[in-house]
Amino acid sequence: MKPLKFSPLLKSTLWGGDKIIPFKHLDCNQKDVGESWEISGVKDNESIVSAGEYQGVKLNDVVAQLKDKLLGKENYARFGNEFPLLIKFIDARQQLSIQVHPSDEIAKRQGKERGKTEMWYIMDGEPDAKLRSGLKNKITPEEYKEMVDNDTITDAIAEYQVKEGDCFFLPAGRIHSIGAGCFLAEIQQTSDVTYRIYDFKRKDKNGNYRQLHTQQAAECIDYHVESNYRTEYTPEKNKGVNMVNCPFFTTSVYDLDEPMTLDYSELDSFVILIGIKGEGFLKDNEGNEVTLREGESILYPATTETITVSGTIKFLETYI
């Protein structure tokens, strides 16, 4: 079975920048692109296959046809015909809102399909790029509401200067915000549930404040305080380096300048490869050959046993 590539869903946003279009080598004049949804099974925002046998077909319709051959047996039993991961590139020219996502349990209680656990991998950034992740001070739900009301909630959130290669895992319930100058890849559950806590008194193009979800967010926040919210790992050349293992995805980074064979013969899951830098040439055990370069994402079906990668390329690998 051949791997799949998709047409990106480009999202112009209030805070979007100008990095995504050239990063993806697109001939496009769209402005203020804050997000490129690379692989998405989100209802009304499904990815469309860009070439091959399934060209023009929505991702979830491909899942419905191929079932466990695409997702893997356990994944298909767990998720059915909805593709379970959402892959994005994000370019923040301005600060994003302070926000939080619910867990699956809380989301269902609030009438949503599922919650959102996610991770960020910093691909590039301005010299002063920062982001916020997790509470740095112990606060109560009452203090949280007071700090939102008096514009001091950012004082309670840990802030990090970031650079290429930094990784942050964001389990549901962790308060967070992407700062101006960050250019990153995001891997998350298939969910578009975001509760906006604070938006820096910013107005949209019509002069209106954007909607806040203070009460819904209050039900979701994990008030536990940790000493460090950055994911610590040691980069290595020509080796897969694991960064995140959680029930929703496992993600590693590869930085290759010599050929390497990735072995998935014991894995019961699809695999997504996300190009971060450079270009690689991929050949799987069935003889399918594709190119992966920066700004591209490729979905390999669960039937894939091996992929041999050559070239000079840095990419993320994620699966369930």
Side-chain angles (χ1 to χ4, degrees):
M1 194 179 305
K2 294 183 178 180
L4 301 174
K5 289 187 178 183
F6 302 87
S7 301
L9 297 171
L10 303 178
K11 309 277 189 175
S12 292
T13 64
L14 182 67
W15 42 264
D18 57 8
K19 293 184 175 71
I20 287 176
I21 299 297
F23 176 66
K24 291 187 60 61
H25 308 280
L26 299 176
D27 182 13
C28 174
N29 295 320
Q30 189 170 334
K31 304 297 184 184
D32 302 326
V33 177
E35 299 184 352
S36 175
W37 289 29
E38 294 290 291
I39 300 179
S40 168
V42 175
K43 185 179 179 181
D44 299 325
N45 284 277
E46 287 183 55
S47 294
I48 307 294
V49 179
S50 60
E53 178 183 357
Y54 295 97
Q55 183 175 1
V57 180
K58 293 181 179 179
L59 175 55
N60 288 344
D61 290 338
V62 179
V63 175
Q65 290 184 50
L66 299 178
K67 300 180 170 57
D68 60 321
K69 291 181 181 179
L70 180 60
L71 294 192
K73 292 180 181 178
E74 290 189 14
N75 288 336
Y76 188 70
R78 181 179 171 190
F79 300 106
N81 292 333
E82 183 178 66
F83 191 78
L85 290 185
L86 172 56
I87 310 299
K88 297 180 183 178
F89 294 130
I90 297 178
D91 174 22
R93 179 174 51 85
Q94 298 179 19
Q95 166 84 48
L96 273 68
S97 61
I98 305 295
Q99 53 191 238
V100 72
H101 310 297
S103 64
D104 284 353
E105 180 183 2
I106 293 174
K108 289 175 181 176
R109 197 162 66 227
Q110 294 178 338
K112 309 293 184 181
E113 183 68 23
R114 65 178 53 83
K116 187 196 293 189
T117 285
E118 60 188 357
M119 66 165 284
W120 296 329
Y121 178 86
I122 307 299
M123 300 186 298
D124 196 5
E126 302 300 327
D128 57 349
K130 297 178 182 179
L131 57 77
R132 293 183 173 94
S133 177
L135 293 172
K136 66 179 179 181
N137 303 318
K138 190 71 176 179
I139 62 173
T140 65
E142 292 73 23
E143 289 171 328
Y144 151 76
K145 292 175 183 176
E146 291 174 4
M147 295 182 83
V148 171
D149 289 341
N150 62 27
D151 303 327
T152 61
I153 188 62
T154 56
D155 295 342
I157 308 172
E159 188 173 52
Y160 294 85
Q161 190 95 24
V162 295
K163 64 184 185 307
E164 179 186 348
D166 282 353
C167 177
F168 289 82
F169 176 57
L170 302 158
R174 181 166 293 172
I175 192 168
H176 60 270
S177 176
I178 298 172
C182 290
F183 186 40
L184 57 87
E186 181 175 273
I187 298 167
Q188 60 166 89
Q189 288 178 263
T190 292
S191 170
D192 201 26
V193 181
T194 295
Y195 294 138
R196 194 178 294 124
I197 294 170
Y198 183 70
D199 199 33
F200 305 92
K201 303 297 185 184
R202 192 162 36 186
K203 294 182 179 180
D204 62 20
K205 61 183 179 181
N206 298 317
N208 300 315
Y209 292 117
R210 295 198 295 172
Q211 182 183 5
L212 300 180
H213 312 94
T214 310
Q215 183 54 45
Q216 296 100 315
E219 299 174 31
C220 303
I221 294 173
D222 179 357
Y223 289 93
H224 177 72
V225 176
E226 296 185 14
S227 59
N228 181 23
Y229 295 98
R230 195 195 312 258
T231 298
E232 301 294 345
Y233 72 99
T234 302
E236 290 189 54
K237 292 287 289 188
N238 301 307
K239 181 179 179 181
V241 180
N242 179 257
M243 296 183 294
V244 173
N245 290 294
C246 75
F248 308 105
F249 49 81
T250 293
T251 303
S252 299
V253 61
Y254 291 77
D255 189 0
L256 307 182
D257 58 12
E258 60 185 41
M260 181 176 183
T261 297
L262 313 178
D263 187 352
Y264 302 116
S265 57
E266 300 298 319
L267 180 68
D268 180 33
S269 174
F270 63 88
V271 176
I272 297 171
L273 303 182
I274 306 164
I276 301 301
K277 184 179 290 187
E279 183 176 60
F281 306 95
L282 283 53
K283 184 175 182 179
D284 65 23
N285 56 288
E286 296 181 11
N288 298 306
E289 297 181 333
V290 295
T291 300
L292 174 66
R293 62 177 176 174
E294 62 183 23
E296 288 187 322
S297 302
I298 298 179
L299 171 60
Y300 277 88
T303 54
T304 303
E305 294 186 0
T306 62
I307 303 171
T308 298
V309 184
S310 58
T312 300
I313 184 170
K314 188 174 188 179
F315 62 91
L316 302 181
E317 166 203 75
T318 194
Y319 56 81
I320 297 178

